[in-house]
Amino acid sequence: FYGCEEVTMLTIPASMTKIGNYAFAGCGSSDGELTVTFAERTEELSFGNGVFSECYIEELSIPASVTLSDDFLGGLEVDRIVPADDHPTLQSDEYALYLTENGAMVTLLRFQPTAEANLSAFDIHASVKTIAANAFEGAQLTALTFEDGSQLESIGERAFYGSSLVTITLPESAFTIGSYAFAQISKLYDKCTTRIDLGGATSIGDHAFFNTGYTTLKVTIPASVKEIGAFAFADDSSYGVYLAGVTLSGGLEVIGEN
């Protein structure tokens, strides 16, 4: 059903057990919104990657019998995803949607605050090991912190791309930073980033902090960082983004181009 723009309502029958990659991508685009409902079911149903890519869904409820692929969210514009209270691997609170293991929130899939949530700052649970790609893209947060004892291992590509972070304080655990993870923050918002604490980062991906900074910003690369990717702290002068100073520590082995 890829590209079926006129399809605006979808009811998934109880008999269905698997939906392949990009099966309904682009549906509902003529009307601006796709409405998805599930028939009452007991059989397990698995979703492939990008099933609703290029679709807008206001709210998507996920029954307990439905499992999602790692890239199910790819290309999907959705205001809120609500898993069933008894879903075995998904959990949500007033701020975010998580993937769980043995009851612990291990992957933060997407930031989706309720209207009542405080948007100025967000403290990420210590149990979170992965921040998924695009999880906070465009989020209007000014401060990011992590609970004590954070087990963070990776920050995905474009995880905070275009957000409004003023201060970025990362944990002391060993973790990697993906490509474009904190890029374009200053370009899209009036408030510029004035503090970046890299914590225990071990590698910084290509364009990770591209066009992010301010005239007074100074960054210290901790000894834990072994590699800095291409264009990691580059700025496009046409947007007036600057970096006042960088201090390199002894553990660094590779710096990419530009």
Side-chain angles (χ1 to χ4, degrees):
F1 300 95
Y2 182 94
C4 293
E5 299 178 357
E6 301 299 324
V7 175
T8 59
M9 299 187 66
L10 173 64
T11 299
I12 298 176
S15 59
M16 193 167 294
T17 59
K18 182 179 180 180
I19 298 178
N21 298 342
Y22 303 97
F24 298 100
C27 289
S29 57
S30 65
D31 188 53
E33 182 179 349
L34 177 66
T35 300
V36 179
T37 57
F38 292 84
E40 188 173 342
R41 58 185 307 109
T42 56
E43 295 293 324
E44 291 189 0
L45 168 63
S46 63
F47 276 98
N49 296 333
V51 170
F52 298 111
S53 180
E54 302 175 34
C55 298
Y56 167 66
I57 301 173
E58 183 176 359
E59 183 173 293
L60 180 61
S61 296
I62 305 295
S65 58
V66 173
T67 58
L68 309 180
S69 69
D70 291 340
D71 195 30
F72 167 78
L73 294 172
L76 169 62
E77 183 181 355
V78 59
D79 291 344
R80 190 162 185 82
I81 294 177
V82 182
D85 291 339
D86 58 345
H87 198 287
T89 60
L90 291 176
Q91 181 178 334
S92 64
D93 58 21
E94 63 175 331
Y95 289 100
L97 175 70
Y98 302 90
L99 187 65
T100 65
E101 289 182 7
N102 300 319
M105 295 177 286
V106 294
T107 300
L108 196 157
L109 293 173
R110 71 186 308 269
F111 183 64
Q112 50 177 34
T114 62
E116 297 77 21
N118 174 16
L119 290 178
S120 62
F122 185 65
D123 196 29
I124 294 178
H125 294 287
S127 61
V128 171
K129 297 180 179 180
T130 302
I131 298 176
N134 310 97
F136 289 82
E137 184 168 349
Q140 297 186 42
L141 287 171
T142 57
L144 173 69
T145 57
F146 291 77
E147 289 182 351
D148 292 343
S150 172
Q151 302 176 49
L152 186 68
E153 296 176 355
S154 65
I155 298 176
E157 295 181 2
R158 298 173 65 98
F160 295 89
Y161 185 96
S163 64
S164 57
L165 289 172
V166 173
T167 61
I168 301 169
T169 304
L170 302 179
E172 294 302 321
S173 60
F175 63 91
T176 59
I177 299 175
S179 300
Y180 291 94
F182 294 93
Q184 301 287 31
I185 291 176
S186 299
K187 176 182 176 183
L188 301 181
Y189 290 87
D190 292 335
K191 293 183 178 180
C192 296
T193 305
T194 57
R195 177 184 175 187
I196 298 175
D197 183 344
L198 293 172
T202 58
S203 66
I204 300 171
D206 296 347
H207 297 89
F209 292 90
F210 181 74
N211 269 7
T212 293
Y214 191 58
T215 54
T216 60
L217 178 63
K218 295 182 180 180
V219 176
T220 296
I221 307 298
S224 59
V225 173
K226 304 300 182 185
E227 182 174 357
I228 298 175
F231 296 89
F233 290 91
D235 38 13
D236 183 339
S237 59
S238 64
Y239 292 103
V241 183
Y242 305 94
L243 186 63
V246 177
T247 301
L248 304 178
S249 299
L252 190 62
E253 298 175 357
V254 178
I255 297 178
E257 62 182 16
N258 297 292

